[in-house]
Structures are given as structure tokens and as C-alpha cells.
């Protein structure tokens, strides 16, 4: 379960970047909604403690329980649909002493499951039997998450699994075939969506896409994203400052609902300006790249897949969140890793970082031996 690691193999750069980004998030949350700042700070402390513990537990030991992790994900997601708390028309939380969002924990547990599963079957991953079984295993949690409904988390989770499959050895031919089908299908999908009475998506999902494509025709659905774009632009180079009481502030005027969660980057843009926004983006980029560097040095495929999954989670989810806030994608509710308010999201992503650090502690040397 534990190994005699050497402190020199600990990735200090990654830890500093993660804590720096989280600290910025705590400050912005305090400016957006002061009542939640202390809870986020508590989440950061809990996250660091959990990350430290996970970092010293041999990930090989954790992967021995991969089937349990998968069953736990399915059980929690089913429990959400049966007895979960409803909020704004979505059922994504359950209360079991503490209130948390299982889909956030599910992303980390699915990374662990597929890291072990794919490392066990990488030689046969392109065979019809293994490929079909992998798709079935992925489809079950994806379906349950989408039923909450939570389309954005479904897309992020699907992307994580797809990238892990590719790293495990999925054939380029299969990837090209999927892309060849997906790109024209997306055009057809958007064309059908523009027609009145479409039944492809739920009403609110369809309205969000239509509001993104034609904001002037759907102002009631587009106002949140349009105000977010205005907030980011109004920050100019250096922003209006944290905790400001400026009368022309989009945040202070309550033109962005729940600014401390999914639209936290809009507050960052307005109050920290272009410079502050770039710092956040660069820290996210640095964290993602540093994780991929650790992946290259992993002692085995399972370790590489763990790092790849966590890097995809942080990088792709951040990309989607920032694109939504800046109007490059339709509005969808998804937190910005390390920055948005939410204890479940914050603590679970710290668990992921702990796993990455453990992979790094067992990295190969140039001659292939381990630093132990």
C-alpha cells in the first residue's frame, strides 16, 4: 500500500501551480459571493490533506479495486436519479450526511477504472469484442449522468474516456472513421435543431444552443452569456479590482446569476482584467502540461493512463468553461477546475492531483528503473 518514496521525486512545480490557482479562486469567490469564501477555503485545506494522503498510497494498490470503483460510480449515479436533490430542474446532488455531486467524484473513479481496464486489455483494444465491451462499460455511466440531466459533464466524461482509449492504443483508422462520421453528423444535428418543434434535445438544451447561435432572437436565454461577455470585456487590461463597489460592474449589478460557480471566469475577467485572466489560463495550461510530462515518465501504462485522464479532465473542462463564458460555445453549466466554488469539485480534483503525484513518485529513470 505504501512505498519508501524519495522527496526529490515529488513534483513541486505541479503542487505550487495547483495551490496558486486555487488561492486565486478563493479570492475571486470572496469577491463574487463572500458568504462562500470560507467554505471554499475549507475545501482547499481538505483537498490538500486528501491529495497528500493519496500521493503516498501506491496507485497499484488503488487500481486493485477498479471494479469496486466502477460499481460505486454506477450505484451513486443511480441513487442520484432515485433520491437526489433537485435544483433548477436538474437532479445532480445527494444528501448522505453531506451534500455532494456524485458525477464529480465519478470522473475520478472512472479514470481509475479505465486506467486498469485498458492497461489489462491494450493488446486487444482494437478487436471488435473488447472495443464493444469498452463502449458498453463507458455508455452506462454516461447515460446515467445525461439523465440527471447534465449534458456538459457527460461530454467531458466521454472525452476523458476517449482520450484514454486513444493513449491505450486505439487504432488511428477507428479514430478517423469516428471523426468522419461525427463532423457531418454535427452539421446535420445543428440543421435539425434550427427547425421548430425539434425533439432531439430537451427544451432548455435546445434553447441554449439557439440563443448562442441567434442571441438577438432569444434574449431571455442569451442574457447570462451576453452579460458574461460584457463583464470580461469591461475588465480591460488590469480589471476593476477585487471587492470593488463600482456602480458599472456587471457583477455588482447582479447581471450574472451564480457568478461564483460556473461563470467565475467572468468575474475574473472583470475584476482582474486581461492580465489576471491570462494568469489563470497559463496556470491551467501549466498544470495540464506538467501532468502530461509525468505521464511520459510513468513506470507503466496504467500510470500513464491515470495522468492522461486527469490532464484531459482539467484541460478540456477548463477549455469548455472558458469558451462558454467568452461566448465561443453554447451556455452549459460546468465548473472551472480549482477556481469555481464547489467542495465536491475541488476535493475530487485534488484527489486526481494526488494520484498524478503518486505516479510521478514512481517514475522511471533513464535506464528504466524506478526511483523508490
Amino acid at each position: 500500500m505504501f512505498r519508501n518514496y524519495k522527496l526529490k521525486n515529488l513534483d513541486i512545480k505541479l503542487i505550487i501551480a495547483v495551490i496558486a490557482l486555487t488561492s486565486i479562486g478563493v479570492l475571486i469567490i470572496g469577491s463574487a459571493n463572500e458568504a462562500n469564501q470560507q467554505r471554499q477555503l475549507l475545501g482547499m485545506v481538505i483537498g490538500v490533506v486528501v491529495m497528500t494522503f493519496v500521493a503516498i498510497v501506491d496507485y497499484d494498490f488503488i487500481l486493485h479495486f477498479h471494479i469496486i470503483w466502477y460499481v460505486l460510480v454506477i450505484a451513486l449515479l443511480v441513487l442520484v436519479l432515485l433520491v437526489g436533490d433537485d435544483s433548477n430542474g436538474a437532479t445532480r446532488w445527494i444528501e448522505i450526511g453531506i451534500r455532494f455531486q456524485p458525477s464529480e467524484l465519478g470522473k475520478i473513479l472512472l479514470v481509475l477504472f479505465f486506467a486498469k481496464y485498458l492497461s489489462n486489455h491494450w493488446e486487444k483494444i482494437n478487436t471488435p469484442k473488447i472495443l464493444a465491451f469498452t463502449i458498453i462499460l463507458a455508455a452506462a455511466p454516461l447515460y446515467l449522468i445525461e439523465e440527471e440531466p447534465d449534458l456538459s459533464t457527460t461530454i467531458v466524461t466521454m472525452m476523458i474516456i476517449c482520450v484514454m482509449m486513444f493513449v491505450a492504443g486505439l487504432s488511428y483508422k477507428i479514430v478517423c472513421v469516428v471523426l468522419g462520421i461525427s463532423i457531418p453528423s454535427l452539421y446535420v444535428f445543428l440543421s435539425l435543431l434550427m427547425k421548430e418543434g425539434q425533439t432531439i434535445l430537451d427544451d432548455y438544451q435546445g434553447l441554449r444552443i439557439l440563443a448562442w447561435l441567434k442571441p438577438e432572437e432569444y434574449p431571455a436565454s442569451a442574457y447570462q452569456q451576453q452579460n458574461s461577455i460584457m463583464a470580461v470585456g469591461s475588465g480591460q487590461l488590469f480589471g476593476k479590482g477585487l471587492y470593488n463597489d463600482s456602480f458599472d460592474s456587471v457583477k455588482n449589478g447582479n447581471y450574472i446569476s451564480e457568478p461564483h460557480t460556473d461563470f467565475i471566469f467572468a468575474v475574473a475577467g472583470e475584476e482582474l482584467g486581461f492580465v489576471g485572466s491570462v494568469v489563470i489560463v497559463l496556470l491551467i495550461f501549466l498544470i495540464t502540461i506538467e501532468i502530461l510530462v509525468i505521464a511520459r515518465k510513468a513506470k507503466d501504462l496504467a500510470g500513464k493512463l491515470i495522468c492522461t485522464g486527469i490532464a484531459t479532465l482539467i484541460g478540456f473542462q477548463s477549455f469548455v468553461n472558458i469558451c462558454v463564458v467568452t461566448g465561443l460555445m453554447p451556455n452549459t453549466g460546468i465548473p472551472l477546475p480549482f477556481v469555481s466554488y464547489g467542495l465536491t469539485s475541488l476535493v475530487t480534483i485534488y484527489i486526481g492531483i494526488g494520484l498524478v503525484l503518486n505516479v510521478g513518485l514512481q517514475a522511471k529513470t533513464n535506464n528504466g528503473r524506478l526511483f523508490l
Side-chain angles (χ1 to χ4, degrees):
M1 181 176 179
F2 298 101
R3 291 175 179 248
N4 295 320
Y5 306 112
K6 291 184 178 181
L7 186 60
K8 67 177 183 179
N9 299 323
L10 187 64
D11 195 320
I12 301 298
K13 289 185 293 183
L14 177 59
I15 296 173
I16 292 174
V18 165
I19 292 178
L21 184 58
T22 310
S23 299
I24 292 173
V26 170
L27 292 174
I28 300 173
I29 288 169
S31 182
N33 191 322
E34 189 175 357
N36 292 311
Q37 187 175 38
Q38 292 300 319
R39 285 179 57 82
Q40 188 74 355
L41 185 59
L42 174 63
M44 178 181 174
V45 173
I46 295 173
V48 171
V49 172
V50 173
M51 176 187 73
T52 303
F53 176 76
V54 174
I56 62 176
V57 178
D58 187 357
Y59 71 86
D60 286 327
F61 174 79
I62 297 175
L63 292 180
H64 281 314
F65 305 97
H66 68 288
I67 295 178
I68 294 177
W69 304 141
Y70 183 82
V71 173
L72 180 61
V73 171
I74 298 299
L76 287 173
L77 292 175
V78 170
L79 191 63
V80 169
L81 297 179
L82 294 177
V83 298
D85 292 339
D86 183 272
S87 178
N88 297 322
T91 306
R92 301 174 184 173
W93 296 265
I94 56 176
E95 187 87 34
I96 50 174
I98 58 172
R99 188 172 186 265
F100 78 104
Q101 191 173 349
S103 59
E104 292 295 322
L105 177 61
K107 286 182 285 192
I108 303 297
L109 296 182
L110 287 174
V111 167
L112 290 173
F113 170 75
F114 279 103
K116 183 65 174 179
Y117 170 80
L118 293 171
S119 64
N120 286 344
H121 299 90
W122 68 272
E123 292 179 316
K124 299 181 180 179
I125 191 172
N126 293 303
T127 62
K129 179 180 178 181
I130 295 299
L131 190 58
F133 193 56
T134 304
I135 293 173
I136 292 172
L137 288 171
L142 292 175
Y143 171 78
L144 292 171
I145 295 172
E146 200 281 328
E147 282 297 299
E148 294 182 357
D150 193 348
L151 183 59
S152 55
T153 300
T154 304
I155 293 172
V156 170
T157 307
M158 181 177 67
M159 180 61 69
I160 292 169
I161 297 171
C162 289
V163 171
M164 291 178 70
M165 290 175 65
F166 178 74
V167 172
L170 188 65
S171 171
Y172 284 95
K173 294 180 181 180
I174 296 176
V175 174
C176 290
V177 169
V178 172
L179 290 176
I181 295 173
S182 300
I183 295 175
S185 298
L186 179 61
Y187 175 79
V188 174
F189 168 77
L190 290 175
S191 299
L192 294 173
L193 188 66
M194 299 295 289
K195 296 182 179 180
E196 294 185 7
Q198 64 85 24
T199 57
I200 302 173
L201 297 175
D202 293 336
D203 290 342
Y204 84 95
Q205 293 172 335
L207 277 174
R208 285 182 175 182
I209 295 177
L210 290 172
W212 173 63
L213 294 171
K214 300 179 179 180
E216 68 283 351
E217 295 183 18
Y218 300 89
S221 297
Y223 82 95
Q224 171 88 331
Q225 196 168 35
Q226 293 302 303
N227 289 340
S228 171
I229 296 170
M230 186 189 308
V232 173
S234 69
Q236 299 185 37
L237 187 59
F238 296 108
K240 300 173 182 177
L242 292 171
Y243 311 103
N244 73 78
D245 56 359
S246 176
F247 72 92
D248 61 345
S249 167
V250 178
K251 181 211 71 180
N252 293 341
N254 295 319
Y255 292 110
I256 302 175
S257 59
E258 302 293 328
H260 57 294
T261 56
D262 301 334
F263 279 80
I264 192 72
F265 192 74
V267 180
E270 181 175 58
E271 302 195 340
L272 300 179
F274 177 78
V275 173
S277 300
V278 168
V279 169
I280 292 173
V281 172
L282 287 177
L283 283 171
I284 292 170
F285 181 76
L286 174 62
I287 291 168
T288 304
I289 294 299
E290 196 66 24
I291 294 173
L292 292 176
V293 170
I294 294 174
R296 290 188 61 188
K297 300 176 182 178
K299 69 175 184 178
D300 56 18
L301 179 58
K304 181 181 292 187
L305 290 173
I306 287 174
C307 293
T308 301
I310 301 301
T312 305
L313 165 58
I314 295 171
F316 183 70
Q317 184 165 312
S318 299
F319 174 77
V320 172
N321 177 278
I322 294 173
C323 282
V324 168
V325 171
T326 54
L328 298 176
M329 283 186 178
N331 188 1
T332 183
I334 195 166
L336 182 61
F338 303 107
V339 182
S340 291
Y341 172 75
L343 268 64
T344 305
S345 173
L346 185 59
V347 173
T348 53
I349 202 70
Y350 266 90
I351 293 174
I353 296 297
L355 291 166
V356 170
L357 291 173
N358 186 260
V359 174
L361 285 170
Q362 302 187 52
K364 293 183 296 186
T365 64
N366 291 332
N367 58 12
R369 291 180 297 179
L370 305 182
F371 281 124
L372 297 179

PDB file of all heavy atoms in Angstrom, residues 1-13:
ATOM      1  N   MET A   1       0.822  -1.212   0.000  1.00  0.00           N
ATOM      2  CA  MET A   1       0.000   0.000   0.000  1.00  0.00           C
ATOM      3  C   MET A   1       0.859   1.267   0.000  1.00  0.00           C
ATOM      4  O   MET A   1       0.586   2.230  -0.697  1.00  0.00           O
ATOM      5  CB  MET A   1      -0.934  -0.004   1.209  1.00  0.00           C
ATOM      6  CG  MET A   1      -1.863   1.192   1.295  1.00  0.00           C
ATOM      7  SD  MET A   1      -3.009   1.047   2.678  1.00  0.00           S
ATOM      8  CE  MET A   1      -3.899   2.571   2.519  1.00  0.00           C
ATOM      9  N   PHE A   2       1.919   1.283   0.800  1.00  0.00           N
ATOM     10  CA  PHE A   2       2.829   2.420   0.850  1.00  0.00           C
ATOM     11  C   PHE A   2       4.214   1.989   0.381  1.00  0.00           C
ATOM     12  O   PHE A   2       4.600   0.835   0.509  1.00  0.00           O
ATOM     13  CB  PHE A   2       2.922   2.976   2.271  1.00  0.00           C
ATOM     14  CG  PHE A   2       1.623   3.494   2.808  1.00  0.00           C
ATOM     15  CD1 PHE A   2       0.866   2.732   3.678  1.00  0.00           C
ATOM     16  CD2 PHE A   2       1.150   4.742   2.434  1.00  0.00           C
ATOM     17  CE1 PHE A   2      -0.341   3.202   4.176  1.00  0.00           C
ATOM     18  CE2 PHE A   2      -0.047   5.223   2.928  1.00  0.00           C
ATOM     19  CZ  PHE A   2      -0.796   4.447   3.801  1.00  0.00           C
ATOM     20  N   ARG A   3       4.984   2.942  -0.152  1.00  0.00           N
ATOM     21  CA  ARG A   3       6.347   2.684  -0.581  1.00  0.00           C
ATOM     22  C   ARG A   3       7.276   3.710   0.038  1.00  0.00           C
ATOM     23  O   ARG A   3       6.830   4.746   0.540  1.00  0.00           O
ATOM     24  CB  ARG A   3       6.465   2.734  -2.110  1.00  0.00           C
ATOM     25  CG  ARG A   3       5.760   1.578  -2.828  1.00  0.00           C
ATOM     26  CD  ARG A   3       5.844   1.791  -4.330  1.00  0.00           C
ATOM     27  NE  ARG A   3       5.196   0.703  -5.053  1.00  0.00           N
ATOM     28  CZ  ARG A   3       5.828  -0.177  -5.807  1.00  0.00           C
ATOM     29  NH1 ARG A   3       7.157  -0.122  -5.914  1.00  0.00           N
ATOM     30  NH2 ARG A   3       5.177  -1.121  -6.443  1.00  0.00           N
ATOM     31  N   ASN A   4       8.546   3.425  -0.003  1.00  0.00           N
ATOM     32  CA  ASN A   4       9.546   4.375   0.504  1.00  0.00           C
ATOM     33  C   ASN A   4       9.945   5.334  -0.618  1.00  0.00           C
ATOM     34  O   ASN A   4      10.920   5.119  -1.326  1.00  0.00           O
ATOM     35  CB  ASN A   4      10.771   3.614   1.025  1.00  0.00           C
ATOM     36  CG  ASN A   4      10.443   2.767   2.231  1.00  0.00           C
ATOM     37  OD1 ASN A   4       9.684   3.192   3.095  1.00  0.00           O
ATOM     38  ND2 ASN A   4      11.007   1.572   2.295  1.00  0.00           N
ATOM     39  N   TYR A   5       9.151   6.374  -0.776  1.00  0.00           N
ATOM     40  CA  TYR A   5       9.416   7.340  -1.834  1.00  0.00           C
ATOM     41  C   TYR A   5      10.532   8.304  -1.428  1.00  0.00           C
ATOM     42  O   TYR A   5      10.795   8.518  -0.254  1.00  0.00           O
ATOM     43  CB  TYR A   5       8.149   8.144  -2.139  1.00  0.00           C
ATOM     44  CG  TYR A   5       6.940   7.309  -2.459  1.00  0.00           C
ATOM     45  CD1 TYR A   5       5.849   7.261  -1.600  1.00  0.00           C
ATOM     46  CD2 TYR A   5       6.882   6.569  -3.638  1.00  0.00           C
ATOM     47  CE1 TYR A   5       4.735   6.509  -1.895  1.00  0.00           C
ATOM     48  CE2 TYR A   5       5.767   5.813  -3.945  1.00  0.00           C
ATOM     49  CZ  TYR A   5       4.700   5.781  -3.072  1.00  0.00           C
ATOM     50  OH  TYR A   5       3.602   5.027  -3.362  1.00  0.00           O
ATOM     51  N   LYS A   6      11.143   8.905  -2.439  1.00  0.00           N
ATOM     52  CA  LYS A   6      12.140   9.942  -2.210  1.00  0.00           C
ATOM     53  C   LYS A   6      11.527  11.308  -2.493  1.00  0.00           C
ATOM     54  O   LYS A   6      10.905  11.515  -3.530  1.00  0.00           O
ATOM     55  CB  LYS A   6      13.360   9.718  -3.113  1.00  0.00           C
ATOM     56  CG  LYS A   6      14.178   8.487  -2.726  1.00  0.00           C
ATOM     57  CD  LYS A   6      15.417   8.376  -3.594  1.00  0.00           C
ATOM     58  CE  LYS A   6      16.255   7.172  -3.181  1.00  0.00           C
ATOM     59  NZ  LYS A   6      17.490   7.039  -4.001  1.00  0.00           N
ATOM     60  N   LEU A   7      11.686  12.231  -1.568  1.00  0.00           N
ATOM     61  CA  LEU A   7      11.078  13.545  -1.685  1.00  0.00           C
ATOM     62  C   LEU A   7      11.517  14.271  -2.949  1.00  0.00           C
ATOM     63  O   LEU A   7      10.754  15.060  -3.516  1.00  0.00           O
ATOM     64  CB  LEU A   7      11.425  14.380  -0.447  1.00  0.00           C
ATOM     65  CG  LEU A   7      10.740  15.750  -0.335  1.00  0.00           C
ATOM     66  CD1 LEU A   7       9.228  15.581  -0.298  1.00  0.00           C
ATOM     67  CD2 LEU A   7      11.233  16.500   0.891  1.00  0.00           C
ATOM     68  N   LYS A   8      12.721  13.991  -3.437  1.00  0.00           N
ATOM     69  CA  LYS A   8      13.223  14.697  -4.621  1.00  0.00           C
ATOM     70  C   LYS A   8      12.408  14.359  -5.872  1.00  0.00           C
ATOM     71  O   LYS A   8      12.482  15.082  -6.871  1.00  0.00           O
ATOM     72  CB  LYS A   8      14.699  14.367  -4.859  1.00  0.00           C
ATOM     73  CG  LYS A   8      14.957  12.917  -5.252  1.00  0.00           C
ATOM     74  CD  LYS A   8      16.436  12.689  -5.536  1.00  0.00           C
ATOM     75  CE  LYS A   8      16.704  11.255  -6.018  1.00  0.00           C
ATOM     76  NZ  LYS A   8      18.142  11.047  -6.305  1.00  0.00           N
ATOM     77  N   ASN A   9      11.657  13.264  -5.829  1.00  0.00           N
ATOM     78  CA  ASN A   9      10.849  12.874  -6.984  1.00  0.00           C
ATOM     79  C   ASN A   9       9.455  13.509  -6.957  1.00  0.00           C
ATOM     80  O   ASN A   9       8.675  13.306  -7.877  1.00  0.00           O
ATOM     81  CB  ASN A   9      10.706  11.354  -7.037  1.00  0.00           C
ATOM     82  CG  ASN A   9      12.045  10.662  -7.180  1.00  0.00           C
ATOM     83  OD1 ASN A   9      12.933  11.164  -7.878  1.00  0.00           O
ATOM     84  ND2 ASN A   9      12.220   9.541  -6.510  1.00  0.00           N
ATOM     85  N   LEU A  10       9.149  14.255  -5.893  1.00  0.00           N
ATOM     86  CA  LEU A  10       7.852  14.921  -5.804  1.00  0.00           C
ATOM     87  C   LEU A  10       7.830  16.133  -6.729  1.00  0.00           C
ATOM     88  O   LEU A  10       8.763  16.946  -6.720  1.00  0.00           O
ATOM     89  CB  LEU A  10       7.597  15.357  -4.363  1.00  0.00           C
ATOM     90  CG  LEU A  10       6.214  15.922  -4.042  1.00  0.00           C
ATOM     91  CD1 LEU A  10       5.142  14.867  -4.240  1.00  0.00           C
ATOM     92  CD2 LEU A  10       6.185  16.447  -2.606  1.00  0.00           C
ATOM     93  N   ASP A  11       6.772  16.259  -7.513  1.00  0.00           N
ATOM     94  CA  ASP A  11       6.667  17.358  -8.479  1.00  0.00           C
ATOM     95  C   ASP A  11       6.204  18.630  -7.767  1.00  0.00           C
ATOM     96  O   ASP A  11       4.999  18.903  -7.650  1.00  0.00           O
ATOM     97  CB  ASP A  11       5.696  16.983  -9.601  1.00  0.00           C
ATOM     98  CG  ASP A  11       5.824  17.907 -10.800  1.00  0.00           C
ATOM     99  OD1 ASP A  11       5.995  19.120 -10.598  1.00  0.00           O
ATOM    100  OD2 ASP A  11       5.771  17.407 -11.941  1.00  0.00           O
ATOM    101  N   ILE A  12       7.141  19.405  -7.277  1.00  0.00           N
ATOM    102  CA  ILE A  12       6.843  20.621  -6.529  1.00  0.00           C
ATOM    103  C   ILE A  12       6.186  21.668  -7.427  1.00  0.00           C
ATOM    104  O   ILE A  12       5.302  22.417  -6.996  1.00  0.00           O
ATOM    105  CB  ILE A  12       8.123  21.193  -5.887  1.00  0.00           C
ATOM    106  CG1 ILE A  12       8.754  20.154  -4.939  1.00  0.00           C
ATOM    107  CG2 ILE A  12       7.807  22.476  -5.119  1.00  0.00           C
ATOM    108  CD1 ILE A  12       7.870  19.758  -3.787  1.00  0.00           C
ATOM    109  N   LYS A  13       6.605  21.722  -8.690  1.00  0.00           N
ATOM    110  CA  LYS A  13       6.033  22.713  -9.616  1.00  0.00           C
ATOM    111  C   LYS A  13       4.531  22.520  -9.767  1.00  0.00           C
ATOM    112  O   LYS A  13       3.768  23.497  -9.791  1.00  0.00           O
ATOM    113  CB  LYS A  13       6.715  22.609 -10.986  1.00  0.00           C
ATOM    114  CG  LYS A  13       8.148  23.096 -11.016  1.00  0.00           C
ATOM    115  CD  LYS A  13       8.694  23.078 -12.429  1.00  0.00           C
ATOM    116  CE  LYS A  13       8.821  21.644 -12.959  1.00  0.00           C
ATOM    117  NZ  LYS A  13       9.430  21.610 -14.323  1.00  0.00           N
TER     118      LYS A  13
END
